[in-house]
Amino acid sequence: MDKRIWPILRHLGRIEENLGYKLLQQLTDDIFAHLIFGDEQAADQDYLNKMFDAIDAKKNRIEKVFSIICTIFPFLKPIVHWMNSKLKTNYFFNNQLYKNIAEKIERRKKELKSQKKSTGNQNFTYLDHLLITELLDKDEEREEEKEYFYSGRQVTRYLMTNEIVSAMMNMLYAGHKTSARALIAVVYSLAKNPAVQKKVFDEEVSNLNEDLTFEMLESLTYLDLVIREALRLFPLGSEHVARKCMASTTLGGEIKLEIGNFVMVDVMSLHLNENLWGPEPEKFNPDRWLNLQYKNSTQYLSFGQGPRMCLGEKLAMLKLKIMLVVLLKNFRIIAVDEEVYLKD
Ligand code: HEM
């Protein structure tokens, strides 16, 4: 892990001054790109950030033009809003990202095809798992892996390139900034609560060696609570916990909801409810989880709930643990007086 993280720290120069958003975003991007594409040194190239920044800049420019049009011609608002929503999901904004992913897919397909028959212990990326059915379908010699990957399920067809690109883009959109911001929330909470930081270090991190395994990360139960507590106070994806009503209903005997109404959960009120979380719910206190009688499965919504809950929760928790172990093993995180708010 050190091998991946040190080049990033060096890249940013004097780390004491720069252990901020950029560094944490690069750390998460690097691990993300490595896990899903198998990319090496993604952070050095900083390409994910550059692509997302380019998309955001394009969006901002268009939105500015739209807002001027609406101010001058208010009656055009509905048409402009419709155009805006169409453009946001459009290829127009994402073409650079789309091309980049499609190129990676083609390159990876060639690499996988040229690989000798696997003897088992190979590190497959998320992309490989999407590609593998196609490659195995056409390669009878790989019967052994075919059974493993199909794991008893019948696969009737492999994924087309545009379906794979779209799955990868979903992952990137949903996991790119969320993970970096979650890391920031935890780092901030640890900086403000040195006693908790010391406890994590003394009890769980100090004895670990750098070759982290899945089992080691799973055993870090206190670090797990630290992350969950930070995300309780900073539920950064909470605006996505929203649903469209599929049937009319009445909530609590008084609030009427019609078919097609949009409902957004007030996550912050739930997460700061004293009846659910105990005394001083606004304070960062990972220990509160130790005695918590989980009263209701929907009282903690940092990753949402139900069939549309976050698909990447486990991956996000794993990534956060990896990054936090490496950071805490090598640094003591100290809060500075000045606080800067993230804008978007
Ligand atoms: C700490 C980091 C993350 C947080 C806090 C977070 C939070 C959320 C939240 C609140 C939702 C909405 C859930 C709901 O409506 O019930 C969501 C959806 C989703 N997340 Fe995450 N997420 C994180 C990281 C990731 C990562 C790393 C990935 C992908 C690798 C990911 C993939 C998704 C996807 C695909 C959805 C949409 C699921 C659906 O609509 O069916 N998330 N996330």
Side-chain angles (χ1 to χ4, degrees):
M1 211 54 229
D2 249 11
K3 262 189 257 138
R4 306 194 62 76
I5 288 180
W6 283 109
I8 306 171
L9 298 179
R10 267 201 296 276
H11 190 66
L12 289 169
R14 292 192 56 202
I15 51 177
E16 317 87 69
E17 286 171 13
N18 284 305
L19 190 60
Y21 182 57
K22 195 176 171 203
L23 167 65
L24 300 177
Q25 178 79 68
Q26 279 191 292
L27 283 182
T28 43
D29 278 357
D30 182 65
I31 294 187
F32 206 29
H34 185 63
L35 285 175
I36 70 173
F37 294 125
D39 276 358
E40 291 299 332
Q41 291 167 334
D44 270 355
Q45 299 156 22
D46 199 15
Y47 73 86
L48 279 182
N49 245 343
K50 282 186 190 136
M51 268 187 294
F52 279 104
D53 285 352
I55 291 171
D56 285 347
K58 226 185 224 182
K59 272 184 187 162
N60 289 345
R61 276 200 300 276
I62 297 273
E63 273 170 10
K64 228 179 231 170
V65 173
F66 281 170
S67 123
I68 294 170
I69 296 177
C70 285
T71 314
I72 304 173
F73 308 108
F75 58 93
L76 288 179
K77 257 186 197 169
I79 301 172
V80 170
H81 282 171
W82 177 80
M83 277 168 63
N84 197 16
S85 68
K86 288 282 156 212
L87 269 179
K88 268 189 184 159
T89 51
N90 198 284
Y91 178 69
F92 171 76
F93 282 120
N94 309 322
N95 52 1
Q96 198 192 346
L97 190 56
Y98 189 100
K99 264 193 232 153
N100 189 296
I101 296 174
E103 274 166 27
K104 280 179 196 302
I105 290 175
E106 286 314 311
R107 199 169 55 230
R108 192 64 191 147
K109 262 188 200 172
K110 283 191 194 127
E111 279 169 17
L112 283 176
K113 268 181 197 160
S114 67
Q115 266 172 20
K116 293 226 164 74
K117 189 175 174 180
S118 159
T119 47
N121 219 357
Q122 205 169 338
N123 285 330
F124 282 104
T125 63
Y126 175 63
L127 173 59
D128 295 348
H129 283 281
L130 296 177
L131 285 175
I132 208 87
T133 50
E134 174 183 0
L135 297 170
L136 295 180
D137 248 15
K138 292 175 181 168
D139 187 351
E140 289 307 316
E141 277 182 29
R142 290 179 167 231
E143 203 55 46
E144 215 177 282
E145 288 134 289
K146 194 171 182 172
E147 271 168 31
Y148 168 73
F149 278 105
Y150 290 172
S151 52
R153 282 172 298 156
Q154 194 192 0
V155 176
T156 48
R157 74 169 176 91
Y158 53 81
L159 293 169
M160 314 294 283
T161 299
N162 62 349
E163 289 171 318
I164 297 178
V165 174
S166 147
M168 303 298 277
M169 277 171 63
N170 270 346
M171 280 296 193
L172 286 174
Y173 270 117
H176 170 67
K177 286 195 172 149
T178 42
S179 305
R181 280 164 194 193
L183 184 59
I184 290 166
V186 185
V187 166
Y188 174 85
S189 308
L190 290 174
K192 291 282 183 185
N193 296 276
V196 175
Q197 189 179 156
K198 187 171 178 324
K199 186 169 170 184
V200 183
F201 181 80
D202 290 349
E203 291 183 10
E204 292 195 333
V205 172
S206 59
N207 297 328
L208 289 176
N209 64 42
E210 298 288 353
D211 288 326
L212 297 171
T213 61
F214 179 74
E215 289 71 25
M216 274 158 136
L217 294 166
E218 285 280 284
S219 72
L220 305 177
T221 47
Y222 190 63
L223 184 57
D224 200 280
L225 298 188
V226 166
I227 299 172
R228 289 189 188 279
E229 177 70 349
L231 293 180
R232 179 181 70 82
L233 294 172
F234 299 98
L236 44 102
S238 59
E239 73 276 17
H240 297 294
V241 189
R243 300 289 186 269
K244 186 177 175 181
C245 276
M246 305 308 283
S248 302
T249 185
T250 307
L251 296 180
E254 45 183 308
I255 304 169
K256 282 202 166 150
L257 294 175
E258 302 297 339
I259 247 181
N261 281 166
F262 285 94
V263 179
M264 189 189 261
V265 182
D266 178 3
V267 175
M268 217 54 220
S269 297
L270 266 178
H271 284 194
L272 296 181
N273 186 321
E274 199 168 345
N275 294 330
L276 299 171
W277 297 99
E280 301 187 296
E282 69 292 343
K283 286 215 168 130
F284 177 78
N285 173 17
D287 287 336
R288 77 172 72 246
W289 290 76
L290 296 173
N291 306 316
L292 195 73
Q293 304 286 332
Y294 219 58
K295 295 189 173 101
N296 186 324
S297 65
T298 53
Q299 81 180 62
Y300 182 66
L301 289 180
S302 291
F303 292 99
Q305 265 296 329
R308 304 305 300 263
M309 78 174 289
C310 178
L311 214 61
E313 176 181 1
K314 288 224 178 321
L315 176 63
M317 290 299 286
L318 216 57
K319 275 198 304 174
L320 286 168
K321 283 185 179 173
I322 294 173
M323 291 181 287
L324 287 161
V325 166
V326 179
L327 281 176
L328 291 173
K329 232 179 134 50
N330 294 288
F331 301 98
R332 192 149 56 89
I333 302 164
I334 300 170
V336 290
D337 294 336
E338 190 193 354
E339 294 207 359
V340 186
Y341 291 91
L342 291 176
K343 282 196 194 123
D344 58 8

